[in-house]
Amino acid sequence: MDWSPSSWRDFEARQQPDYPDRKALAAVEGDLAIRAPLVPHSDIDALTSALAGAQAGRAFLLQGGDCAETFDEDQAPTIALLKAMADSVGRTLPVSAVGRVAGQYAKPRSAPVESRDGIALPAWRGDLVNGRAFDPASRRADPRRMLRGYDRAALTLAGLPVFASHEALLLPWEQALVRSHAGRFYASSGHLLWIGERTLFEGSAHVEFARGIANPLGLKCGPGLSPGALLALLDTLNPRRIAGRISLVVRLGADRIATSLPPLLRAVLRERQPVLWACDPMHGNTRRGAGGRKIRLIEEIEAEMRRFFAVAEAEGPLRGGLLAEITAADVLECGPSGAPHAACDPRLNRPQAMR
Ligand code: PEP
Ligand code: CO
C-alpha cells in the first residue's frame, strides 16, 4: 500500500493529544514543514550502518537518557554520563552511544486524565504537548510548544557527541519534520526513533508512519507481544530486511523474561530477520508504590539484565544493546521509595549507572 508522510492519518493513532485550536495546529505544522531538518540524512544513514555493525557483533548499542526530557533542563550532564558509561562498556567492544535527547519531549500516559483533590485535568504528555503545572491553562495541549521544541532540540543537537533518539509519539510533529532525499523519506526529528510499547500493534498509526521513513527504528517489546505479532510487524517495517534498521528493545520484566524472551528470539531467528536485540531492564519493572508513586528496584533491573544476556547467550550469537534511563543529578530514584522529583519514571543515578 502507498505510503506518504500523512498516511498514518487513516490508521488508529493512540496517545495523541486533543488540540482545541485546530487552526493554530495547522499553522504550526506549516511553519515546521519549511524549517531546516534537525538532523541531516547522512547522519541517520551513518547510525543505520553503525547498528548493522552492532548486529554483526562488531559493536554494542548503548541508549540512555531521561525518561522525559524537559525544555528547561540542560542535557549536557546526562550526555556526559552516557559517554562515561559508553567508555566503560567500550573497553571490550566499540559502542554506539545514542542519547534519549534532543526530542524526547512527548510521553505516552497510562491514564489520559490526572486527578488531584477531586479535580481532574488532562495528563501531562511531555513538554512538546502541554505543561506540567496542575492547572487547566497549563494542561491544555498547545501546538505552539512544538515550535519551542524545535528550537530546544536544535540547541541540544549543536555539538552533540552522540546520536539522538526519541519515541516517535506525537505524529503531527513527526510528519511535519519529514524530509526527502534521493527518493527516500527521513524523519529529520532525530537519528533513531522508537515505537513505544503502547503504540506498537498491527494497524497502529505509529507503525504506519515508521514504515515509510529510512531511519533506524527501535521497537519496544513488552509482555503483550506474541511471536506472530512481532514477525508481522517486522515484515511491515523492514520488508527488505535491511541490516541495522531494526533494534528490538525488550522490556518484559525480570519475572517474565526467562520464559517470554526465548519464543520471541526463536521466531525472529527462524525467519532470519536481521535485528539487534537490546535490553531495556527498566520499563518492565515499574510498579506503583504508596500514593501511586512509580517504583523501580535496582535488584529487579539487574536481574532482568542478567537474564536477558543469559538467554541471548543460550539461544545463539545474538548481538546486543542496552537501554537505561539515567540522570547525572545526585538523586536516589531507583529504590524502595521511588522518584518524587523525576518528570516521569525513576532513573539510575551515576553510581547505579556505572555499576
Ligand atoms: C520509555 O522508554 O520511556 C517508555 C515509556 O517505554 P515503553 O514504551 O517501553 O513503556
Ligand atoms: Co520511561
Side-chain angles (χ1 to χ4, degrees), residues 100-124:
R100 292 169 61 110
V101 291
Q104 180 51 15
Y105 303 129
K107 293 304 298 176
R109 305 320 307 243
S110 28
V113 294
E114 182 184 347
S115 299
R116 284 190 207 174
D117 307 321
I119 301 170
L121 291 178
W124 179 61

Side-chain angles (χ1 to χ4, degrees), residues 18 30 36 83 94 100 122 127 151 257 281 283 299 333:
D18 234 335
K83 289 284 291 173
R100 292 169 61 110
D127 277 3
D151 294 341
I257 186 155
H283 289 90
E299 295 76 19
E333 296 178 346

Side-chain angles (χ1 to χ4, degrees), residues 67 100 104 107-108 167 194 196-198 220 251 280 283 325 345:
C67 181
R100 292 169 61 110
Q104 180 51 15
K107 293 304 298 176
E167 177 170 353
W194 76 84
E197 199 252 349
R198 292 167 188 76
K220 290 291 209 97
R251 33 88 83 225
D280 167 1
H283 289 90
E325 288 184 345
D345 296 336

Side-chain angles (χ1 to χ4, degrees), residues 139-154:
R139 288 294 172 91
R140 189 174 305 126
D142 181 356
R144 284 175 298 258
R145 285 180 159 270
M146 288 191 255
L147 302 179
R148 269 184 73 199
Y150 179 96
D151 294 341
R152 194 66 191 81

Side-chain angles (χ1 to χ4, degrees), residues 68-334:
E69 188 185 10
T70 54
F71 289 166
D72 58 9
E73 255 173 336
D74 180 14
Q75 292 301 310
T78 306
I79 294 160
L81 175 56
L82 179 66
K83 289 284 291 173
M85 289 171 74
D87 288 345
S88 129
V89 178
R91 284 198 290 266
T92 45
L93 204 61
V95 173
S96 290
V98 177
R100 292 169 61 110
V101 291
Q104 180 51 15
Y105 303 129
K107 293 304 298 176
R109 305 320 307 243
S110 28
V113 294
E114 182 184 347
S115 299
R116 284 190 207 174
D117 307 321
I119 301 170
L121 291 178
W124 179 61
R125 291 186 177 273
D127 277 3
L128 200 53
V129 174
N130 57 0
R132 269 177 84 192
F134 192 74
D135 64 71
S138 147
R139 288 294 172 91
R140 189 174 305 126
D142 181 356
R144 284 175 298 258
R145 285 180 159 270
M146 288 191 255
L147 302 179
R148 269 184 73 199
Y150 179 96
D151 294 341
R152 194 66 191 81
L155 210 62
T156 302
L157 284 162
L160 191 71
V162 299
F163 291 105
S165 70
H166 64 269
E167 177 170 353
L169 183 66
L170 185 61
L171 290 171
W173 159 264
E174 299 300 346
Q175 180 191 329
L177 290 173
V178 169
R179 300 289 179 269
S180 64
H181 173 78
R184 308 211 304 157
F185 291 96
Y186 291 84
S188 82
S189 57
H191 302 108
L192 181 148
L193 269 53
W194 76 84
I195 306 178
E197 199 252 349
R198 292 167 188 76
T199 51
L200 183 68
F201 60 96
E202 199 63 41
S204 158
H206 294 81
V207 171
E208 172 61 15
F209 176 78
R211 176 170 82 84
I213 57 169
N215 304 54
L217 301 173
L219 309 185
K220 290 291 209 97
C221 304
L225 186 65
S226 70
L230 175 57
L231 291 180
L233 287 165
L234 290 174
D235 270 339
T236 302
L237 292 167
N238 195 16
R240 289 167 46 224
R241 305 190 175 212
I242 295 164
R245 170 145 168 94
I246 305 279
S247 297
L248 297 180
V249 184
V250 176
R251 33 88 83 225
L252 291 163
D255 51 350
R256 282 200 179 90
I257 186 155
T259 46
S260 300
L261 180 54
L264 294 175
L265 282 175
R266 286 172 200 156
V268 172
L269 283 174
R270 197 177 54 236
E271 293 299 313
R272 298 178 187 278
Q273 279 284 0
V275 303
L276 179 73
W277 291 94
C279 172
D280 167 1
M282 312 207 61
H283 289 90
N285 297 307
T286 314
R287 52 178 93 237
R288 295 284 173 171
R293 183 175 283 195
K294 284 186 179 176
I295 292 179
R296 285 174 174 164
L297 300 177
I298 198 82
E299 295 76 19
E300 293 187 341
I301 294 171
E302 289 184 344
E304 178 155 4
M305 274 175 65
R306 259 197 328 273
R307 289 168 195 161
F308 174 91
F309 289 106
V311 170
E313 189 117 321
E315 297 291 331
L318 300 166
R319 310 310 183 178
L322 181 67
L323 178 145
E325 288 184 345
I326 54 173
T327 174
D330 185 17
V331 291
L332 181 63
E333 296 178 346
C334 290

